[in-house]
Amino acid sequence: MLLESIKVAIRIRPLNTRDLEISDKSTLKVTDQETLVAIPPVEAEVKQVKKSYKFNWVFDQIATQKDLFEKTLEYQVLSVLDGMNVTLFSYGASGTGKSHTLMKMNDDYGLLIRALNQLFQTIHNRKRKIQMKFSYIEIQQEQLYDLLNNMNGNLDIRDDVEKGVVINGMREIDVTSTQEVINLIQYGKRQKSTKQHEVLIFTIYIQDMVGQNNEIQISKFIVADLAWLDKSGQKSASIQVLNGCISLLSEAQTKKIQPFIPYRNSKLTKILKDSFGGNSKTLIIGCVSPSVANYEETIQTLEYCSMAAGIFNQGTIKTIQQSNQHEDIKSIYDQLINENAELKKQLNHKSNQKPLNNEKEQTKLYEENIIEHFNNEQDINQSIFKYQWEIEQIKFNVNENQENLQRVDGIDRNSADKLRFQIEQDLKQLHNYQEQLVKFQKQASNFSIQRRALEENVNQSNLSNSYKLYLTNLIEKHVLRVEVFEIKLKEQINELHRSQHERIMAIQRSQITLRDRIIADQRKHLISHGKNRSVQHYSQIDTTTEVIDGTKAKLKHYPLPKVKDHYFNKQAYLQRKESPKSIFSPRLQTPLQLKEKKPYVPKTPHTKILDNLSTPIIPKSNPLAKAPPSKLIDSQFMVALPLITTNRNLSKFVYDWRGSGYKFVEDQKNIPSQRELKKVISSKQYTQQSLDKSFFTTSSRSTSAKRVSFKQSLLLPGKVHESPYVKGFINKEIQRKMKLKQLNQKMMKATKNK
Ligand SMILES: Nc1ncnc2c1ncn2[C@@H]1O[C@H](COP(=O)(O)OP(=O)(O)OP(=O)(O)O)[C@@H](O)[C@H]1O
């Protein structure tokens, strides 16, 4: 069992035109990300004063749906795939944006759609067999209707020991994508009357494919969009019951008592029973209006929400087939309960025989003392567990985010910044929790001494033996109860480790698939290009000849990219009988980026220069399209520029050429800038001969067929050339300029004559 406090986020909606007609003043002031102050309007009663409220999150008028999702639900909702129940509901007066926040299904999606996207994406990435079923119901004047089956009349709710709250006869439809759910909601909405509570239930069945005992975990994601008023415009009766339950639970929490909570008084609270005080991670979005006109309702919402924020739930993971260990614990527990009942019976019997009022009262005092001690012990153990759990989770998240950061750093600045921020926040939180944990552990270390003191007190008392026996048994019972509880907590932590491990495995699997894809892409690419072109020039890159699919192909081997070892299973790759050197991955890309399939163009000293030059786009019909495009500097020379042509083959070719362009140049550092080039050209220092020399030195020993030449349409990037290929172009250009000059002269003459 783990304790999980109900989380509450407050969202303030913007003032609308109706509000502005009354006043443009806001009654709410957000002071930080967790606090807001309610300022009574001037007309309000004198008694009212400013009041500050603290929640898990406060979102002001400008917060977006995305902000809300990322901060509140994004990670929490994934617990449902680890067997926890998750509940999300909105709470607040009419028109405060409850449906907008939860249910918006177009443009700026609400939390539901975002959560579903997240869930389905994760389900697709996981190896376990996960099935999701969707049910959609409406509560209308204490009657429950199935919106996916209008043949179903008023449905019945019952409590099931294994499955929790169950709605008899409710239709459950298998869903595999967000779109399917949207379609069903749209269908359901047609059956729905306005101003009613609607509840969406997603039941998740998870089969453990790895374990031997074939367990199926069941968990629920419940989303409730509540109506504040009923059809007659009165405050909904179910909301009033809900309010009652919240205040009783909150009171119980502060006074540490076990009260009776009237869940059964309304259908809504019956359904939400597990979400309050049950086994659920619950998130409440309290929606409020900042308008002067809605002040009363706003205060009501804030009061109930802050009460709800103090409630703790007990999270347990439910499985259909319990494991043996679980059975053992259950039987120990049952046995203890029976023993206790038996002892009580014996004691009653004895006390009926000889009423020993004084002794009885003394025993009662001892009893209270013992119970208080063990309640304290249990509370502290629960807190220790809660912090251990959170610490484990944060550590895992930090690790995961740090690895993600390594992958996106330098590629996607936005994501990297976001990750860095998240890591920083998590580390702060981690530090905080570790401090708390130490505090609680210190308190826990005194427990065994205190237990012994209790026993000694009982033994040294003047009580008769039967009372002493009762009290020592009581102590023993509680010791066992605490031990059973500790076993359960350890089980929970083990479960957490197991699910974290599974997540890492899933990531690794996707990394391997990704790398296989990169390798396959590269091979395809090399086969189609390796045949037509010499690879001699890549002097620093190894080349080999291999027979691939019956074709002899020259492959160039690029160095292996740096990838974190555990993300790259070298062993698995070597078993494919290839040298790891032959993989060329420009950079390990995230699966998302791979989808876009952007060619990777590394920044070389050339691209820096070339990027500064404007890039002409040359049509296919132009003879120049066969060569990498160039820029005319004067009638004799041109500078080679980076691609771009409409010819697909060429652009691929040039992409290769760009990718390794610096291999052609002897002295990379001395590539002239555009200004320097112009200077050189005007001083005519650069002759055709010197150009050729610098151009061909790296391939001087190779045959003319292989060497890079103008005939093969390759130009030296950033250098100046004279080429027969550009002659036609140049001549045309000169002709055009001359024509223009003649035309100008004609015009000038004509105007002079006038
Ligand atoms: N944060 C927001 N940003 C922009 N518009 C909002 C926001 N919150 C609410 N609105 C708008 O205010 C109007 C009322 O919102 P909505 O219907 O969601 O309220 P509600 O609380 O669900 O009301 P009811 O209880 O009557 O169903 C809608 O037109 C909605 O688009």
Side-chain angles (χ1 to χ4, degrees):
M1 201 165 30
L2 72 106
L3 278 196
E4 182 72 42
S5 74
I6 290 178
K7 302 258 186 321
V8 180
I10 296 292
R11 184 181 206 187
I12 305 170
R13 75 147 164 75
L15 286 168
N16 59 30
T17 42
R18 208 147 17 105
D19 301 330
L20 289 169
E21 277 168 21
I22 302 169
S23 164
D24 63 353
K25 285 213 171 65
S26 168
T27 58
L28 298 172
K29 192 169 159 228
V30 179
T31 47
D32 63 47
Q33 289 181 6
E34 295 173 354
T35 324
L36 60 74
V37 178
I39 308 155
V42 192
E43 308 87 62
E45 287 177 32
V46 210
K47 269 188 262 167
Q48 290 178 318
V49 283
K50 279 186 192 177
K51 186 168 175 194
S52 162
Y53 295 87
K54 203 168 168 75
F55 299 95
N56 298 89
W57 305 273
V58 172
F59 295 94
D60 60 11
Q61 287 92 325
I62 53 165
T64 62
Q65 308 268 60
K66 190 165 172 267
D67 292 342
L68 218 73
F69 177 68
E70 286 177 355
K71 295 222 167 94
T72 62
L73 193 62
E74 191 171 12
Y75 294 107
Q76 178 138 326
V77 75
L78 290 178
S79 305
V80 85
L81 300 183
D82 296 328
M84 292 283 301
N85 289 338
V86 175
T87 307
L88 164 69
F89 72 88
S90 54
Y91 180 93
S94 230
T96 49
K98 298 186 295 293
S99 308
H100 175 85
T101 305
L102 242 56
M103 303 293 294
K104 195 151 194 286
M105 284 194 287
N106 49 17
D107 310 328
D108 197 11
Y109 298 123
L111 297 187
L112 172 69
I113 301 296
R114 289 172 195 268
L116 288 174
N117 283 342
Q118 171 99 337
L119 282 176
F120 284 117
Q121 197 187 341
T122 316
I123 288 176
H124 293 313
N125 289 341
R126 286 204 183 174
K127 199 69 184 172
R128 292 166 109 194
K129 197 169 168 191
I130 301 178
Q131 190 182 21
M132 195 198 276
K133 293 191 176 200
F134 171 55
S135 309
Y136 189 20
I137 51 177
E138 170 192 47
I139 306 171
Q140 190 190 124
Q141 288 171 334
E142 282 310 297
Q143 309 265 332
L144 215 66
Y145 296 101
D146 190 341
L147 292 175
L148 298 181
N149 184 5
N150 55 11
M151 302 297 283
N152 269 347
N154 184 13
L155 299 170
D156 191 35
I157 309 176
R158 67 181 168 84
D159 254 335
D160 185 289
V161 191
E162 275 187 349
K163 296 183 189 165
V165 178
V166 170
I167 299 170
N168 284 338
M170 170 181 78
R171 180 174 273 183
E172 288 189 311
I173 297 182
D174 262 357
V175 282
T176 55
S177 69
T178 309
Q179 192 52 49
E180 277 175 34
V181 179
I182 292 178
N183 294 346
L184 288 171
I185 294 175
Q186 278 162 352
Y187 168 82
K189 284 228 187 277
R190 276 181 246 135
Q191 326 293 324
K192 182 183 178 289
S193 22
T194 50
K195 296 246 178 243
Q196 297 308 328
H197 309 298
E198 51 184 303
V199 182
L200 298 89
I201 303 173
F202 299 88
T203 313
I204 286 125
Y205 298 83
I206 305 171
Q207 190 177 355
D208 192 341
M209 312 249 282
V210 192
Q212 295 157 349
N213 44 15
N214 223 14
E215 280 182 357
I216 293 185
Q217 269 179 12
I218 310 172
S219 48
K220 280 189 194 138
F221 174 39
I222 299 179
V223 180
D225 187 18
L226 306 185
W228 186 259
L229 303 176
D230 63 18
K231 261 185 180 166
S232 59
Q234 299 294 316
K235 191 158 174 189
S236 152
S238 334
I239 293 283
Q240 291 185 24
V241 179
L242 176 66
N243 288 349
C245 293
I246 293 178
S247 45
L248 278 171
L249 280 164
S250 159
E251 195 185 329
Q253 213 88 57
T254 39
K255 292 192 180 162
K256 297 210 164 137
I257 47 169
Q258 282 261 311
F260 170 75
I261 309 292
Y263 293 115
R264 303 202 70 80
N265 287 0
S266 88
K267 290 270 160 76
L268 175 67
T269 44
K270 267 189 194 175
I271 295 177
L272 294 180
K273 183 174 166 231
D274 282 346
S275 314
F276 286 101
N279 63 327
S280 179
K281 283 194 171 190
T282 300
L283 169 65
I284 302 177
I285 310 282
C287 295
V288 286
S289 149
S291 166
V292 169
N294 305 115
Y295 185 69
E296 295 273 309
E297 296 160 343
T298 300
I299 292 296
Q300 261 186 44
T301 307
L302 294 176
E303 288 289 340
Y304 279 109
C305 281
S306 66
M307 277 190 231
I311 299 173
F312 273 87
N313 274 345
Q314 299 155 356
T316 48
I317 293 171
K318 300 229 173 204
T319 54
I320 287 183
Q321 264 178 33
Q322 305 272 2
S323 69
N324 288 342
Q325 199 181 1
H326 224 97
E327 286 293 350
D328 291 347
I329 292 167
K330 212 171 164 251
S331 69
I332 294 173
Y333 202 74
D334 290 346
Q335 205 183 324
L336 284 172
I337 288 171
N338 290 339
E339 265 175 31
N340 193 24
E342 190 56 36
L343 281 168
K344 270 196 178 154
K345 237 200 269 170
Q346 278 178 22
L347 191 71
N348 277 341
H349 183 64
K350 281 186 181 156
S351 59
N352 283 345
Q353 279 178 343
K354 296 195 249 179
L356 274 174
N357 257 349
N358 206 4
E359 213 177 358
K360 222 173 149 185
E361 272 164 24
Q362 225 182 324
T363 310
K364 207 162 183 329
L365 274 178
Y366 276 113
E367 196 182 53
E368 277 170 9
N369 216 349
I370 293 167
I371 290 173
E372 197 187 330
H373 164 82
F374 282 100
N375 279 349
N376 271 344
E377 211 173 291
Q378 179 135 343
D379 280 354
I380 288 179
N381 279 343
Q382 274 177 350
S383 306
I384 289 179
F385 172 72
K386 189 184 145 214
Y387 285 111
Q388 279 174 339
W389 175 278
E390 293 286 350
I391 286 170
E392 288 293 327
Q393 247 171 357
I394 295 178
K395 274 186 186 165
F396 181 78
N397 288 348
V398 168
N399 257 343
E400 199 175 54
N401 282 340
Q402 273 169 343
E403 269 155 19
N404 285 341
L405 179 62
Q406 278 190 3
R407 276 187 287 152
V408 295
D409 209 6
I411 300 176
D412 180 351
R413 208 175 135 191
N414 243 349
S415 308
D417 285 351
K418 223 163 144 190
L419 283 169
R420 245 179 239 116
F421 177 74
Q422 187 63 43
I423 292 170
E424 201 180 295
Q425 295 288 320
D426 281 348
L427 288 176
K428 263 190 219 156
Q429 187 76 296
L430 185 68
H431 182 68
N432 202 345
Y433 283 163
Q434 276 165 339
E435 274 182 358
Q436 296 288 340
L437 182 65
V438 171
K439 221 169 70 187
F440 283 116
Q441 277 169 338
K442 264 188 202 156
Q443 288 186 30
S445 62
N446 291 327
F447 285 155
S448 55
I449 304 168
Q450 286 169 9
R451 279 183 198 171
R452 245 177 284 134
L454 277 176
E455 273 175 64
E456 270 169 31
N457 277 350
V458 171
N459 284 333
Q460 284 165 9
S461 69
N462 330 323
L463 292 170
S464 63
N465 278 347
S466 58
Y467 282 110
K468 277 188 186 169
L469 178 69
Y470 166 71
L471 289 174
T472 37
N473 271 328
L474 187 70
I475 294 176
E476 213 168 293
K477 184 197 106 180
H478 279 289
V479 170
L480 271 168
R481 185 173 66 115
V482 169
E483 280 172 4
V484 169
F485 177 71
E486 277 171 2
I487 295 175
K488 280 190 181 175
L489 298 191
K490 277 194 188 125
E491 239 185 83
Q492 295 281 337
I493 292 271
N494 283 345
E495 172 65 19
L496 176 70
H497 284 156
R498 206 186 50 68
S499 71
Q500 287 177 341
H501 185 70
E502 202 153 276
R503 208 153 134 198
I504 292 176
M505 298 267 286
I507 294 171
Q508 285 183 343
R509 257 180 244 122
S510 76
Q511 290 294 331
I512 292 170
T513 322
L514 173 69
R515 299 196 54 118
D516 283 349
R517 250 177 80 187
I518 294 173
I519 292 161
D521 279 359
Q522 283 300 320
R523 303 204 105 209
K524 240 199 289 173
H525 178 79
L526 289 176
I527 294 164
S528 58
H529 291 83
K531 279 181 288 185
N532 311 333
R533 191 164 52 88
S534 156
V535 286
Q536 292 292 310
H537 312 291
Y538 305 95
S539 54
Q540 286 170 22
I541 300 168
D542 293 346
T543 59
T544 55
T545 310
E546 280 183 33
V547 178
I548 297 160
D549 299 336
T551 318
K552 236 184 178 187
K554 269 194 174 153
L555 296 184
K556 34 184 179 166
H557 300 300
Y558 293 86
L560 189 68
K562 275 182 198 155
V563 180
K564 271 210 90 174
D565 276 345
H566 91 257
Y567 274 129
F568 177 46
N569 185 341
K570 272 188 193 149
Q571 205 55 39
Y573 181 61
L574 287 172
Q575 276 162 10
R576 288 163 55 95
K577 294 197 175 57
E578 288 185 57
S579 149
K581 257 189 140 189
S582 68
I583 318 167
F584 172 67
S585 153
R587 230 177 239 185
L588 190 62
Q589 299 165 21
T590 60
L592 214 84
Q593 283 169 320
L594 196 78
K595 259 188 232 152
E596 290 168 15
K597 283 217 163 181
K598 275 190 192 157
Y600 169 69
V601 183
K603 283 263 175 213
T604 65
H606 303 288
T607 47
K608 267 188 210 148
I609 293 175
L610 299 172
D611 284 349
N612 291 333
L613 300 171
S614 61
T615 307
I617 296 184
I618 301 172
K620 220 175 179 176
S621 55
N622 191 306
L624 266 177
K626 287 188 192 124
S630 50
K631 185 172 178 171
L632 203 67
I633 289 183
D634 71 12
S635 63
Q636 292 281 314
F637 299 97
M638 55 187 280
V639 177
L641 287 183
L643 53 146
I644 298 298
T645 80
T646 46
N647 183 331
R648 269 187 72 215
N649 288 335
L650 184 63
S651 53
K652 265 193 201 157
F653 178 68
V654 176
Y655 152 54
D656 269 354
W657 163 71
R658 274 192 80 179
S660 51
Y662 57 91
K663 299 286 171 223
F664 295 114
V665 185
E666 283 170 301
D667 186 3
Q668 303 171 28
K669 282 175 202 149
N670 294 336
I671 294 168
S673 70
Q674 196 186 0
R675 190 190 286 168
E676 280 164 349
L677 274 175
K678 280 190 177 165
K679 232 179 177 175
V680 170
I681 292 157
S682 56
S683 68
K684 298 273 185 231
Q685 282 171 4
Y686 243 74
T687 62
Q688 177 62 46
Q689 238 179 353
S690 68
L691 255 176
D692 277 357
K693 205 174 152 215
S694 77
F695 191 42
F696 291 127
T697 39
T698 48
S699 55
S700 57
R701 263 175 280 135
S702 44
T703 64
S704 63
K706 276 183 181 169
R707 73 179 187 190
V708 180
S709 71
F710 291 135
K711 273 189 184 161
Q712 278 186 301
S713 327
L714 262 181
L715 294 171
L716 185 63
K719 293 232 168 168
V720 185
H721 306 290
E722 192 186 47
S723 156
Y725 270 80
V726 293
K727 277 252 164 74
F729 180 74
I730 293 166
N731 290 344
K732 269 187 202 150
E733 187 64 16
I734 293 168
Q735 279 166 17
R736 203 178 61 83
K737 273 187 186 167
M738 278 172 64
K739 262 190 189 162
L740 211 76
K741 216 173 164 184
Q742 281 169 4
L743 207 76
N744 274 346
Q745 279 171 354
K746 248 188 194 173
M747 295 277 281
M748 272 164 68
K749 233 183 194 173
T751 39
K752 254 189 195 169
N753 286 347
K754 270 187 186 176

